[in-house]
Amino acid sequence: MKILHLDSNHPLLIAQLDAHGFTNDEDYTSSKAEIEAKIHKYDGFIIRSRFSIDKEFLNKATALKFIGRVGAGLENIDCDHAKRRGITLIAAPEGNKNAVGEHALGMLLSLFNKLNKADKEIRQGKWLREENRGIELDGKTVALIGYGNMGKSFAKKLQGFDINVLCYDLKPNISDANCSQTTLEQIQKEADVLSIHTPQTKATTQFINEGFISKFKKNFWLINTARGSAVNTKDLVTALKAGKILGAALDVLEYEKTSFENLFSKNEVPEAFDYLIHSENVLLSPHIAGWTAESNVKLAQTIADKIKVLFPK
């Protein structure tokens, strides 16, 4: 078995696959076209998000048996065509679920207590207590859209608070000790906080938009640690300006797939994003919710374990 590694990961991944008897090649710099020219030599490859794996790429991978994605989602892979080709798809949502849960909770508490704003003001010599009076999470209703690995991790982290946790998911009967499954209509009626934990699909793209937001009975707080494509940024900004959304914690942005740095270097910052970066009730991080020292190890270990089970000695 020959495996091509297209992104660098924790060294334990290659070490364990070597020990299992696989041949492991690394190529972190060649263009997609250059990789396509040699992908037929490999039984499997492992990637994070270096480039998209489309139908053309898969058709050139004539010996391919599996694709390992060191991450939670598979949206950068043409999954339908891979399945038609009999290629096994391996992801690792178990590997960074704890990190995502902790990050979501940290962002929510920071937002509620105005910690970023207060920190900046202290560094500027400002001592503003009343202006930074926070609110408490206890007594609130937190609603999750998507109750897979990430949603369940966040719900578990919320159990130290006296709150009501609701979730909506397409899968039936997923309520557990940490969360009660309900309808979108009930969430829109009761939620004080809405947290997104959905994969990127056609159904979830731009799901959080003006029409969806307008149906909420209460003004609410928004957390997104899932995918930037789930939220229509212009509609989010409109809701923030109107006070319908009280604040937002965003680890992901719909601008990620363009070159994020170019938005600034070329002075092409979209108007909606310019509002977000200057807003005191918006907290931003660069898609790092699942990006901890521990998750780096867990993600690699999860992929290694799944490959070894799929192809035993």
Side-chain angles (χ1 to χ4, degrees):
M1 291 282 289
K2 292 185 67 176
I3 301 174
L4 179 62
H5 296 257
L6 297 173
D7 287 296
S8 60
N9 291 290
H10 194 280
L12 76 81
L13 178 54
I14 290 179
Q16 291 193 17
L17 295 178
D18 276 340
H20 197 67
F22 296 125
T23 298
N24 292 276
D25 294 341
E26 301 168 71
D27 189 336
Y28 307 143
T29 58
S30 294
S31 68
K32 184 177 180 180
E34 290 170 328
I35 298 295
E36 284 180 346
K38 65 179 181 179
I39 197 62
H40 65 280
K41 301 176 182 178
Y42 293 94
D43 301 286
F45 66 85
I46 296 173
I47 193 168
R48 286 202 314 266
S49 301
R50 182 170 161 193
F51 49 69
S52 62
I53 307 301
D54 51 26
K55 183 177 180 179
E56 181 181 3
F57 186 95
L58 291 170
N59 285 342
K60 293 182 179 180
T62 52
L64 200 63
K65 297 178 179 65
F66 76 89
I67 301 170
R69 166 96 207 292
V70 186
L74 295 166
E75 65 270 10
N76 62 326
I77 301 169
D78 186 336
C79 297
D80 291 337
H81 191 63
K83 290 173 182 176
R84 286 194 293 269
R85 287 276 318 279
I87 299 167
T88 300
L89 302 175
I90 304 170
E94 307 92 337
N96 61 355
K97 64 181 182 180
N98 184 71
V100 171
E102 289 190 7
H103 194 91
L105 179 58
M107 291 188 90
L108 177 58
L109 294 177
S110 181
L111 200 59
F112 268 29
N113 291 284
K114 303 183 181 180
L115 296 184
N116 263 35
K117 175 178 178 292
D119 176 78
K120 289 178 183 178
E121 290 170 352
I122 286 288
R123 295 171 190 271
Q124 295 168 0
K126 300 176 183 178
W127 190 267
L128 304 175
R129 298 186 68 214
E130 186 58 40
E131 293 85 346
N132 288 303
R133 189 183 290 274
I135 63 171
E136 297 178 15
L137 185 53
D138 275 19
K140 304 294 191 297
T141 293
V142 177
L144 317 179
I145 296 184
Y147 202 59
N149 284 281
M150 309 306 169
K152 289 177 181 177
S153 176
F154 186 39
K156 183 179 179 181
K157 303 292 183 291
L158 291 168
Q159 292 312 297
F161 300 90
D162 184 15
I163 62 175
N164 182 31
V165 183
L166 303 175
C167 68
Y168 171 79
D169 195 284
L170 294 178
K171 294 180 180 179
N173 305 316
I174 57 170
S175 293
D176 57 25
N178 300 325
C179 186
S180 299
Q181 187 172 13
T182 187
T183 63
L184 281 177
E185 290 75 17
Q186 195 67 20
I187 283 174
Q188 289 168 325
K189 179 180 179 181
E190 297 185 15
D192 298 291
V193 177
L194 180 68
S195 188
I196 311 302
H197 300 278
T198 53
Q200 182 171 308
T201 66
K202 290 181 179 179
T204 62
T205 298
Q206 303 285 289
F207 183 70
I208 309 301
N209 55 33
E210 181 181 10
F212 181 81
I213 293 167
S214 67
K215 294 178 182 177
F216 278 72
K217 181 178 180 181
K218 303 178 185 177
N219 299 336
F220 66 98
W221 305 77
L222 178 68
I223 308 170
N224 188 12
T225 54
R227 291 292 183 264
S229 60
V231 177
N232 182 302
T233 308
K234 290 182 179 179
D235 291 353
L236 166 62
V237 167
T238 298
L240 285 166
K241 289 179 177 178
K244 185 64 181 180
I245 293 181
L246 300 168
L250 308 172
D251 180 56
V252 287
L253 297 161
E254 65 173 305
Y255 310 109
E256 286 184 66
K257 289 301 180 181
T258 60
S259 177
F260 179 78
E261 291 84 358
N262 285 347
L263 295 178
F264 294 86
S265 63
K266 295 181 180 180
N267 294 317
E268 296 177 351
V269 179
E271 183 179 350
F273 184 54
D274 186 66
Y275 178 87
L276 294 180
I277 61 179
H278 291 98
S279 180
E280 292 182 339
N281 61 338
V282 173
L283 186 60
L284 303 167
S285 59
H287 203 156
I288 56 171
W291 203 253
T292 62
E294 292 85 355
S295 72
N296 190 29
V297 175
K298 292 176 186 176
L299 286 165
Q301 188 64 63
T302 300
I303 293 293
D305 288 344
K306 290 184 177 182
I307 293 173
K308 287 187 287 185
V309 168
L310 187 63
F311 301 101
K313 286 186 178 180

